[in-house]
Amino acid sequence: MRKWVRRLVATVAVTALGALALPTTGFAANSKTPIIVGSKSFTESKVVSEIYALALEKAGYKVTRKQNISNSVVFKAVQTGQIDVYPEYTGTIVDAYLKQSTTNKNAKQIAAAAKKGVAKYKLTTLTPAPGNDSQGIAVTTKVAKKYGLYTISDLQKKANKIRFVSQGEFDQRADALPGMVKKYGKFDFKSSKDYDDSLKYKILSEGKGDAAPVSTTDGQLANGNKYTLLKDDKHLWPAYNLVPLVRNSTLKSHPKMAKALNQVDKKLTTKTLTELNKKVDVDGQNYQTVAKNWFNKNIN
């Protein structure tokens, strides 16, 4: 699951950077120096990274793309200048990189903590997108309608009617099912079986399960007739708003950079990210084509 993979970057190793084989930009960047735009290795990061690249090219800058960077080293890569900017998440920055608590913090507070915290690395975050790629629970829409499930509180009350499609680590991790139990009460599921995360939507679509942990911008969730994302009505999970993470030196030497990326980010809602992910992960389109089509339609 994207969110939990992102959390693993807390154990970044400097030595792992050698495997990237990326050129360094140094510290003498100027407006003619290409901006190196990076991404992590999952669909959403690659699509948004390509949109960033297109926006910067439209602003008149040369761009070098370095996508599919390992989640475990991408934060170190932007610190050392091997990339200049990439799409990150406010909650990931605060929780995984800064190792600060996000408990009881709203989206605005988390974004502020992220911006303040990365300053010591000579980095900055630009304006966060409204899109939030967080943890969530989805149920099949058929089951949601049958039992009136629209919130996680609803799920807790009707858990004895629900077959839960889990992953082993979700049952054990403090901020997953144990966190749900602490916040909402015991979930006495009719059954709970562990499956590989990549199979969850297949299991649900085949009617072998009713509910599963998901990321809130999964492309499959674009089909509301098939799946319903339950509202986290007691606010268990923090905000993971998409945000450009940028080197200060690059921002200074490329003065139109911030405006170009902020123009993009303000239009990347949760619904938009979900639709972009769907085009790649469900419809099988190339992520670069998806990014270009969206950019041409939405950015003037």
Side-chain angles (χ1 to χ4, degrees):
M1 193 172 298
R2 293 192 300 273
K3 176 185 173 188
W4 310 117
V5 170
R6 291 198 298 268
R7 288 184 164 216
L8 298 178
V9 296
T11 57
V12 169
V14 175
T15 54
L17 280 170
L20 285 174
L22 299 178
T24 58
T25 60
F27 297 95
N30 56 60
S31 60
K32 295 182 179 180
T33 303
I35 299 172
I36 304 176
V37 181
S39 84
K40 295 183 181 181
S41 56
F42 57 90
T43 294
E44 184 170 290
S45 186
K46 290 188 289 184
V47 173
V48 175
S49 173
E50 179 63 18
I51 292 173
Y52 285 178
L54 293 170
L56 293 171
E57 287 175 337
K58 184 174 181 179
Y61 297 122
K62 294 181 179 180
V63 173
T64 298
R65 293 159 171 81
K66 295 291 182 183
Q67 291 158 330
N68 270 317
I69 300 173
S70 170
N71 295 338
S72 65
V73 297
V74 66
F75 183 59
K76 184 61 69 174
V78 73
Q79 291 178 54
T80 58
Q82 297 193 54
I83 58 175
D84 295 306
V85 58
Y86 76 99
E88 198 34 280
Y89 299 85
T90 54
T92 300
I93 293 171
V94 175
D95 182 30
Y97 303 151
L98 304 177
K99 298 181 181 179
Q100 298 176 8
S101 173
T102 55
T103 303
N104 296 324
K105 289 185 173 67
N106 60 33
K108 186 175 181 180
Q109 291 169 327
I110 292 173
K115 190 175 189 67
K116 180 179 179 181
V118 298
K120 65 181 178 182
Y121 298 108
K122 298 183 179 179
L123 304 173
T124 191
T125 55
L126 300 182
T127 304
N132 178 28
D133 181 3
S134 187
Q135 173 70 58
I137 300 293
V139 299
T140 62
T141 298
K142 180 180 179 180
V143 168
K145 290 180 177 179
K146 182 177 181 179
Y147 297 116
L149 305 180
Y150 302 102
T151 69
I152 297 180
S153 289
D154 294 336
L155 179 68
Q156 190 273 332
K157 294 173 184 176
K158 302 289 181 66
N160 64 338
K161 302 180 184 298
I162 302 301
R163 297 166 296 166
F164 194 62
V165 179
S166 189
Q167 300 89 41
E169 54 88 26
F170 188 85
D171 295 342
Q172 303 298 322
R173 204 177 56 245
D175 56 355
L177 184 58
M180 290 170 60
V181 171
K182 185 176 181 180
K183 179 71 75 169
Y184 287 93
K186 185 178 180 181
F187 287 77
D188 187 20
F189 290 116
K190 180 178 181 179
S191 67
S192 180
K193 295 182 180 180
D194 293 343
Y195 297 91
D196 184 273
D197 181 60
S198 64
L199 297 176
K200 61 178 178 287
Y201 286 107
K202 182 176 186 292
I203 299 300
L204 292 176
S205 66
E206 292 178 350
K208 297 177 181 178
D210 304 311
V214 299
S215 290
T216 55
T217 58
D218 279 348
Q220 291 84 350
L221 299 177
N223 189 342
N225 291 325
K226 290 191 69 174
Y227 306 107
T228 296
L229 180 66
L230 300 180
K231 182 179 179 180
D232 180 13
D233 53 308
K234 293 188 178 180
H235 309 291
L236 169 61
W237 292 302
Y240 279 73
N241 292 96
L242 186 74
V243 68
L245 183 58
V246 193
R247 290 172 55 78
N248 289 341
S249 58
T250 306
L251 204 59
K252 183 177 180 180
S253 60
H254 298 79
K256 295 184 290 184
M257 185 177 183
K259 182 178 179 180
L261 295 182
N262 284 336
Q263 183 184 18
V264 166
D265 256 33
K266 70 181 181 181
K267 295 187 177 183
L268 294 177
T269 63
T270 301
K271 182 179 179 180
T272 296
L273 292 173
T274 303
E275 289 288 348
L276 291 171
N277 288 329
K278 174 183 179 293
K279 291 180 185 299
V280 178
D281 293 336
V282 179
D283 300 338
Q285 297 182 36
N286 178 275
Y287 78 87
Q288 292 169 315
T289 300
V290 170
K292 185 176 181 179
N293 289 342
W294 183 88
F295 182 83
N296 289 340
K297 183 178 180 180
N298 293 277
I299 304 299
N300 299 321

